[in-house]
Amino acid sequence: MSSFLRPAEAGDDPLAAPTTTPTTTGTATTDPPLGRIPTQYRPVSSYLAIAPPVSVVIPAMNEAENLPYVFKTLPEWIHEVVLVDGNSTDDTVRVAKELWPDVRIVRQRGKGKGDALITGFAACTGEIIVMVDADGSADGSEIVSYVSALVSGADFAKGSRFANGGGTDDMTPVRRLGNRVLTALVNAKFGARYTDLCYGYNAFWKRCLDEIALDCAGFEVETLMNIRVVKAGLRVQEIPSHEFDRIHGTSNLRAVRDGLRVLRVILRERGSRRERRRATARGALGARGALRGGQALGGGQALGGGGQALSARPGR
């Protein structure tokens, strides 16, 4: 069994106080390591307890009416909620604090969902990060499935509305067609086996951020993550997920505009992959050429010695 999980037992809590150990001179206090407590576990279900702290990142802008539906589904055992506020003009921040008093509010300085997520990821203190939309379309009770996949060996748990057991109430025929085409394109170009591409409900180990180096600001961030985890050789497991309708307000997503941005990301990442292959090939050829040149130089030095002797003859 993984060192990160075990069968749940009542009273387990990875956020417990420092432990004390009797010694010959009294007692010694041991503080838990910063960021994780590997010897203590927190129950996340009736059959599973985990050690790694879990951070939930929620990018939000003017979502005060939807937050009650989001927060009521979040499990109590999560380590922290990081809400990235995109300069809301409504009561988003106040409502979040009322619903989850310990919520961490991070102000977004840039614009776009990608920028908000990158900001939120940087603020997380947990070892596992879960991405949840603020429109009420995601069911927080599914988080346990994502976390279970990660502590069982996956690096990246990717939500899918089209995996067996998943579904969606909030996708127009145009968006469904576009998602299917873009998913097939990524699978063909990068060797992935995804059933869903443009979905924002994902979870991963925080250490994976060093491997994927996110650098985009818009809705295409989800596609970029899905491509780069494959390029980095990380272990990906799809998690069936159900997407519900947005409860209040309208989405900032625009099918054609954002679909084109996703396509540009795919083409750019494909081009960078091809360039890396060429650079690797050039490096290998250069190394072989240097080796051959070195061997030839060794022979040339012997000939050069003879050449000096011959060139000295006319001066006699």
Side-chain angles (χ1 to χ4, degrees):
M1 180 176 291
S2 168
S3 61
F4 292 117
L5 72 160
R6 72 172 188 185
E9 295 179 8
D12 286 338
D13 188 351
L15 303 180
T19 58
T20 58
T21 306
T23 67
T24 56
T25 59
T27 59
T29 301
T30 304
D31 291 326
L34 181 63
R36 67 171 293 189
I37 306 174
T39 58
Q40 295 177 316
Y41 296 78
R42 166 167 289 191
V44 299
S45 71
S46 60
Y47 58 87
L48 178 69
I50 65 168
V54 177
S55 299
V56 174
V57 175
I58 305 175
M61 184 175 69
N62 298 329
E63 298 285 7
E65 291 185 289
N66 290 320
L67 289 184
Y69 300 93
V70 177
F71 279 89
K72 75 177 182 179
T73 67
L74 295 180
E76 296 180 356
W77 48 262
I78 60 178
H79 168 57
E80 66 180 353
V81 176
V82 177
L83 185 138
V84 183
D85 177 49
N87 301 304
S88 298
T89 57
D90 66 357
D91 291 330
T92 291
V93 173
R94 180 185 62 80
V95 170
K97 290 180 177 179
E98 290 178 354
L99 295 169
W100 201 280
D102 294 329
V103 65
R104 296 186 61 196
I105 304 297
V106 179
R107 302 289 183 177
Q108 181 182 0
R109 295 184 178 181
K111 293 183 179 180
K113 184 177 183 179
D115 180 82
L117 285 172
I118 293 170
T119 300
F121 296 160
C124 289
T125 61
E127 289 187 57
I128 290 175
I129 298 176
V130 184
M131 305 158 46
V132 176
D133 286 341
D135 59 3
S137 63
D139 182 0
S141 66
E142 294 178 357
I143 290 177
V144 66
S145 299
Y146 289 82
V147 172
S148 296
L150 294 175
V151 297
S152 297
D155 297 310
F156 190 86
K158 180 189 173 306
S160 174
R161 296 162 291 186
F162 303 112
N164 187 26
T168 178
D169 302 330
D170 185 31
M171 182 171 280
T172 64
V174 172
R175 286 177 55 200
R176 185 183 295 267
L177 176 61
N179 186 61
R180 182 178 300 176
V181 171
L182 293 170
T183 301
L185 182 60
V186 167
N187 288 342
K189 296 297 184 182
F190 299 95
R193 302 177 68 179
Y194 293 142
T195 60
D196 194 357
L197 183 69
C198 306
Y199 189 43
Y201 200 170
N202 303 302
F204 54 91
W205 293 98
K206 188 177 181 179
R207 63 174 182 264
C208 294
L209 292 172
D210 295 332
E211 301 286 339
I212 59 180
L214 300 176
D215 55 2
C216 68
F219 282 98
E220 69 274 15
V221 64
E222 296 145 4
T223 296
L224 182 65
M225 295 180 73
N226 293 332
I227 291 174
R228 289 192 176 173
V229 295
V230 172
K231 291 169 67 174
L234 301 180
R235 290 166 292 183
V236 181
Q237 181 173 332
E238 283 199 329
I239 307 298
S241 178
H242 191 95
E243 178 188 41
F244 297 93
D245 283 323
R246 164 181 276 274
I247 299 172
H248 295 287
T250 58
S251 172
N252 292 319
L253 178 68
R254 297 294 178 266
V256 175
R257 179 198 66 187
D258 293 307
L260 290 174
R261 294 180 70 166
V262 168
L263 180 60
R264 283 195 292 269
V265 165
I266 295 172
L267 297 178
R268 184 190 71 190
E269 291 298 304
R270 177 60 178 173
S272 64
R273 187 183 188 189
R274 186 181 298 112
E275 182 57 34
R276 280 197 300 273
R277 287 180 176 175
R278 290 174 179 171
T280 301
R282 286 195 296 266
L285 289 174
R288 286 198 295 267
L291 178 61
R292 292 172 181 171
Q295 293 172 343
L297 180 60
Q301 289 173 342
L303 290 174
Q308 292 173 352
L310 288 172
S311 63
R313 290 179 184 174
R316 289 180 181 177

